[in-house]
């Protein structure tokens, strides 16, 4: 009887270890794929894009404010997608730290793309509570269309992809609201949700 129980226990442990090894192997392979996606997408971004009239607008706004003060802001002829709240503060923070240069201008597009990919994985993790699916979501997002030239706008630094990042953040906040039982936290999350929605909507109301 004892021998039978030990045999069953051993078999269950063996099955568990086998499943654990397979899970770890899959996670490791997905991790390598994510690293490869980060490396290749970064090189691809700098190969395809360089500073142009749209991408240079945050730098021009930064220089204009430094030269003429805040009165320069209303003098600019903005389009509907003005990026004043959703993108310009990101640029200004980086310009303040690193100064204005072409690398920063192009790099922002890639960073927005990467944050969107990882936020997608985070949302998947929160919804279905599966680490492998979350890693797979990140990996697939990093290879989503950027190697097809007509779709390479997804790594362009002044684009509607910025708004999509804010919307992904909104989705994450909704998940937080649904998962918390604290009314105080719900109120804070609702405030954060409306703030993020306002930032995205004001900056890109198309």
């Amino acid at each position: 009887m004892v021998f039978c129980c030990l045999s069953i226990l051993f078999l269950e442990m063996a099955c568990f270890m086998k499943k654990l090894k397979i899970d770890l192997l899959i996670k490791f392979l997905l991790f390598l794929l994510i690293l490869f996606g980060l490396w290749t997408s970064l090189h691809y971004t700098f190969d395809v894009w360089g500073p142009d009239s749209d991408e240079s607008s945050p730098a021009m706004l930064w220089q204009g404010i430094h030269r003429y003060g805040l009165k320069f802001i209303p003098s600019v002829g903005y389009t509907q997608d003005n990026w004043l709240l959703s993108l310009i503060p990101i640029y200004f923070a980086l310009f303040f730290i690193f100064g204005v240069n072409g690398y920063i201008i192009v790099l922002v597009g890639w960073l927005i793309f990467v944050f969107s990919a990882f936020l997608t994985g985070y949302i998947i993790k929160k919804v279905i509570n599966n680490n492998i699916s979350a890693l797979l979501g990140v990996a697939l997002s990093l290879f989503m269309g950027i190697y097809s030239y007509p779709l390479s706008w997804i790594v362009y630094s002044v684009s509607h992809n910025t708004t999509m990042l804010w919307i992904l953040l909104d989705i994450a906040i909704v998940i937080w609201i649904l998962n918390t039982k604290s009314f105080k936290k719900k109120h804070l999350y609702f405030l954060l949700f409306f703030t993020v929605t306002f930032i995205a909507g004001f900056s890109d109301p198309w």
Side-chain angles (χ1 to χ4, degrees):
M1 184 68 179
V2 175
F3 177 76
C4 290
C5 291
L6 289 174
S7 299
I8 293 171
L9 181 62
F10 177 78
L11 288 173
E12 288 180 350
M13 289 182 63
C15 290
F16 173 76
M17 292 302 295
K18 183 178 181 180
K19 184 178 183 299
L20 182 63
K21 288 180 180 179
I22 293 174
D23 285 351
L24 287 175
L25 178 62
I26 293 173
K27 289 176 182 177
F28 179 71
L29 292 175
L30 287 173
F31 178 73
L32 291 180
L33 186 61
I34 288 170
L35 289 180
F36 181 68
L38 291 171
W39 176 259
T40 55
S41 61
L42 177 62
H43 282 264
Y44 181 83
T45 300
F46 279 94
D47 268 350
V48 173
W49 297 114
D52 63 13
S53 57
D54 283 338
E55 290 191 318
S56 63
S57 57
M60 294 173 64
L61 185 61
W62 171 266
Q63 299 287 13
I65 292 173
H66 271 260
R67 183 168 184 178
Y68 301 106
L70 294 177
K71 64 182 180 181
F72 181 77
I73 296 177
S75 70
V76 178
Y78 301 100
T79 58
Q80 292 94 328
D81 46 348
N82 55 77
W83 319 115
L84 285 175
L85 299 180
S86 64
L87 183 61
I88 296 299
I90 298 173
Y91 270 113
F92 279 17
L94 293 173
F95 290 159
F96 178 79
I97 298 171
F98 301 106
V100 178
N101 64 75
Y103 290 105
I104 293 296
I105 292 173
V106 178
L107 184 64
V108 167
W110 180 75
L111 289 174
I112 290 170
F113 169 70
V114 169
F115 278 120
S116 297
F118 278 94
L119 194 49
T120 298
Y122 174 80
I123 292 170
I124 293 172
K125 166 64 178 174
K126 283 294 185 180
V127 171
I128 64 175
N129 194 29
N130 186 288
N131 290 325
I132 290 178
S133 296
L135 290 172
L136 182 61
V138 175
L140 291 176
S141 297
L142 288 173
F143 290 95
M144 186 182 61
I146 68 167
Y147 305 106
S148 171
Y149 181 76
L151 297 177
S152 58
W153 294 97
I154 201 168
V155 291
Y156 190 65
S157 61
V158 181
S159 73
H160 302 287
N161 196 41
T162 306
T163 306
M164 297 311 299
L165 174 60
W166 287 95
I167 298 305
L168 286 171
L169 180 56
D170 255 349
I171 295 173
I173 295 170
V174 169
I175 294 172
W176 299 344
I177 292 172
L178 295 175
N179 287 342
T180 185
K181 295 181 180 179
S182 169
F183 284 103
K184 184 177 181 180
K185 286 185 178 180
K186 281 185 185 290
H187 291 152
L188 290 174
Y189 290 153
F190 270 115
L191 179 61
L192 183 59
F193 175 83
F194 288 118
T195 301
V196 170
T197 303
F198 175 77
I199 288 173
F202 178 85
S203 304
D204 186 15
W206 283 47

